[in-house]
Amino acid sequence: MLNIIIFGPPGSGKGTQSARIVEKYNLLHLSTGDILRDEMEKETAVGLEAKKYIDKGHLVPDEVVLKVLYHKASDYASGHGFVFDGFPRTIVQAEILDKMLEKRKMPINIVISIEVKEDELFKRMMGRAEDSGRSDDNEETIRKRIEVYKQQTFPLIDYYRNQGKLVDINGMDSVDKVFSNISRAIDFFIMKKEILP
Ligand code: AP5
Ligand code: MG
């Protein structure tokens, strides 16, 4: 069992890298952003509630996110581990996730933190805005998302660094190079676990 968090600011490549990680290590991808967008598309009560926040670049309230996450995670009752993408995003979410996983004796093993400069984040998301169809890919909302990240999500870096789980990855490199550095960190963790059970 391997549980990974892929952490980073909006547009840093979390989704791009998660897709590759789940394929290589046979894990399940849990992106709260993707789940919420799916709910928005289906116009469910959760989706309509989430839209109010997502369209403004604000975080969706913890209780709404946790509800959809529990629901989705229990759909995936299998022996595979998870790649959590875009979750947790607040200290409250991180503490709840730790408790939830502790109960199941399957803690978070590695937190991959992808670092990308702000002007590059902006460039990437504005480039994607052309065809992403995402209601939050526009200049004003992108600026807000980056600001919200700095205020509410960035502090999680210390939370996980203090747990000894954080691995810093330079996200300014090419997609292939970033993936090869992430793979190296994961392989190192797996090897260490095998040597020191
Ligand atoms: P979410 O869907 O999680 O979006 P985000 O964090 O803003 O990040 P993105 O999905 O935009 O970017 P990414 O890091 O996945 O990068 P990507 O691979 O796409 O959240 C959206 C909203 O939902 C939030 O604002 C919030 O309202 C709500 N929400 C979600 N989770 C929540 C939670 N837990 N709590 C509360 N609210 C929550 O790459 C970006 C672009 O760059 C792509 O075009 C890609 O092709 C390109 N790219 C990727 N890597 C590279 C590279 N190395 N070089 C060049 N280009 C690259
Ligand atoms: Mg994403």
Side-chain angles (χ1 to χ4, degrees):
M1 175 71 74
L2 188 61
N3 281 318
I4 299 172
I5 291 175
I6 185 125
F7 182 88
S12 54
K14 300 184 296 293
T16 305
Q17 296 299 331
S18 293
R20 293 188 171 209
I21 299 169
V22 293
E23 199 190 329
K24 179 166 179 184
Y25 296 94
N26 195 20
L27 303 173
L28 296 164
H29 184 192
L30 258 184
S31 156
T32 41
D34 288 349
I35 298 170
L36 292 168
R37 277 186 290 279
D38 189 45
E39 297 285 330
M40 275 162 61
E41 208 166 298
K42 291 183 191 145
E43 299 187 342
T44 62
V46 164
L48 295 173
E49 179 67 11
K51 187 170 167 49
K52 292 187 214 158
Y53 298 89
I54 291 180
D55 286 359
K56 291 194 192 120
H58 292 282
L59 292 186
V60 174
D62 290 334
E63 59 275 16
V64 177
V65 175
L66 288 163
K67 196 158 90 182
V68 292
L69 186 88
Y70 283 140
H71 188 72
K72 204 70 184 179
S74 56
D75 277 357
Y76 288 152
S78 75
H80 296 281
F82 292 102
V83 174
F84 294 95
D85 160 6
F87 181 89
R89 254 175 155 98
T90 61
I91 297 282
V92 171
Q93 290 180 10
E95 288 174 346
I96 291 177
L97 180 68
D98 274 350
K99 281 198 193 113
M100 191 175 105
L101 295 178
E102 215 172 89
K103 257 196 238 156
R104 291 168 177 72
K105 303 222 175 314
M106 40 180 256
I108 292 295
N109 302 116
I110 315 178
V111 181
I112 306 278
S113 167
I114 310 182
E115 293 161 355
V116 174
K117 292 200 181 100
E118 199 167 320
D119 55 347
E120 172 70 11
L121 294 173
F122 195 76
K123 209 170 81 193
R124 286 185 192 176
M125 284 185 281
M126 286 307 286
R128 188 182 60 184
E130 312 267 313
D131 55 7
S132 73
R134 275 177 57 164
S135 54
D136 58 350
D137 274 350
N138 59 73
E139 188 171 341
E140 193 189 339
T141 314
I142 290 171
R143 290 205 190 285
K144 187 70 194 173
R145 283 158 64 197
I146 295 176
E147 190 191 312
V148 166
Y149 168 80
K150 287 194 217 160
Q151 285 171 359
Q152 294 178 256
T153 306
F154 184 77
L156 284 178
I157 291 207
D158 278 345
Y159 179 88
Y160 287 113
R161 205 184 293 285
N162 290 339
Q163 292 190 359
K165 292 179 179 171
L166 201 82
V167 178
D168 296 304
I169 296 286
N170 177 8
M172 297 291 286
D173 287 328
S174 68
V175 171
D176 285 347
K177 182 84 173 36
V178 173
F179 183 60
S180 120
N181 288 335
I182 291 176
S183 293
R184 190 167 321 124
I186 298 174
D187 292 343
F188 183 68
F189 172 81
I190 295 171
M191 191 189 77
K192 236 177 28 182
K193 209 167 70 169
E194 279 166 6
I195 295 173
L196 301 166

